[in-house]
Amino acid sequence: MKKTIVIVDDHVLIAKALEGIIDNFKEFEVIYVAENGKDLIQKFQNNSKIPDIILMDISMPIMDGFETVLWLKEHHPNIKVMALSMQGDDKSVIKMIKNGAKGYLLKNTHPKELENALTKLNNDGFFYPEWASKIIFSNMNNEETANSIRISDREREFLKYTVTELSYKEIADKMCCSPRTVESYRDQLCDKLDLKTRVGLAVFAIKNGFAES
């Protein structure tokens, strides 16, 4: 069964073009389009189907992407939101992610990259291209230091892979272990470092030199 997508964008031509592109993807389908956040909420209230993924523009009248993703985080936290915007500045990227977006792409993205991003978002729960990851890493702070926490060699190896686009299954293959073992490394490190996401682990890895090991 295909994963369902809703596009939220006030530019009708862009939204329809996106819809046509995505409907040609093997694993995804667009179920409807909303013109802005308020329109999306009204559709939800009118019993429109709740999608698996939302592609969210930022600059929209009435209710923009920043407000909408924050509302979704509170009311529909299981929906994965991918920001899709012309805005690639640090402030926009960080604000969208802090408000709840799990991915970020620019509108000049190639269709193949879009399909790959949607697949990664669906499978891993997030997707940030290299340029967005650099913005995130340079703006997020982690007060924990490697010197104050005991981290095993295998956990160090896992941390090295958190900064890549490899899925947990692919990391397991690299580490010659099972995906469940990799998940245990993740959970142990999240407990030790008081973190909740892979992005947080990747930030820690980069700040403390594990990504270069």
Side-chain angles (χ1 to χ4, degrees):
M1 182 179 296
K2 290 188 175 184
K3 293 297 180 180
T4 56
I5 294 178
V6 163
I7 299 169
V8 183
D9 196 316
D10 62 315
H11 295 96
V12 178
L13 288 177
I14 291 177
K16 288 298 182 183
L18 269 173
E19 183 177 4
I21 290 170
I22 293 170
D23 282 344
N24 284 320
F25 294 164
K26 183 178 179 180
E27 297 181 359
F28 303 96
E29 64 176 344
V30 176
I31 52 177
Y32 55 88
V33 174
E35 294 182 1
N36 53 59
K38 185 177 180 180
D39 184 30
L40 177 69
I41 293 171
Q42 288 175 340
K43 290 181 185 300
F44 283 179
Q45 291 172 341
N46 291 331
N47 298 317
S48 293
K49 186 176 179 180
I50 303 299
D52 299 304
I53 295 171
I54 290 178
L55 286 178
M56 181 76 65
D57 190 18
I58 294 179
S59 297
M60 298 179 290
I62 305 175
M63 187 173 181
D64 64 19
F66 298 123
E67 296 176 271
T68 308
V69 74
L70 195 60
W71 183 90
L72 288 166
K73 182 180 179 180
E74 180 179 353
H75 294 89
H76 295 279
N78 292 329
I79 297 176
K80 301 178 181 74
V81 179
M82 174 83 77
L84 186 61
S85 175
M86 294 298 295
Q87 301 179 41
D89 59 285
D90 290 21
K91 184 177 179 181
S92 295
V93 172
I94 295 301
K95 187 173 181 179
M96 281 296 282
I97 291 169
K98 284 184 175 180
N99 283 11
K102 300 300 183 183
Y104 205 107
L105 288 174
L106 295 177
K107 286 187 175 179
N108 63 358
T109 297
H110 190 278
K112 284 291 185 183
E113 184 179 352
L114 173 59
E115 184 175 16
N116 175 64
L118 290 171
T119 300
K120 292 281 188 179
L121 178 66
N122 179 61
N123 293 341
D124 301 337
F126 71 96
F127 175 83
Y128 305 109
E130 184 177 352
W131 66 267
S133 296
K134 289 179 180 178
I135 292 174
I136 297 167
F137 297 154
S138 66
N139 281 273
M140 292 181 66
N141 293 315
N142 191 321
E143 295 180 356
E144 300 287 358
T145 63
N147 293 331
S148 64
I149 298 168
R150 185 176 179 179
I151 298 175
S152 71
D153 290 342
R154 291 292 275 174
E155 288 171 341
R156 288 170 182 266
E157 185 179 0
F158 169 71
L159 281 170
K160 178 179 68 174
Y161 290 122
T162 61
V163 304
T164 70
E165 293 185 0
L166 294 174
S167 67
Y168 286 127
K169 183 180 184 303
E170 290 168 334
I171 292 174
D173 291 340
K174 291 282 188 181
M175 296 181 67
C176 299
C177 63
S178 69
R180 181 170 295 182
T181 299
V182 165
E183 290 172 1
S184 73
Y185 293 144
R186 176 199 63 197
D187 295 341
Q188 290 166 14
L189 284 165
C190 282
D191 287 342
K192 289 179 181 180
L193 304 173
D194 193 25
L195 297 170
K196 299 184 186 304
T197 68
R198 178 170 170 172
V199 173
L201 289 171
V203 172
F204 177 85
I206 288 176
K207 288 191 66 177
N208 292 284
F210 295 115
E212 302 170 0
S213 61

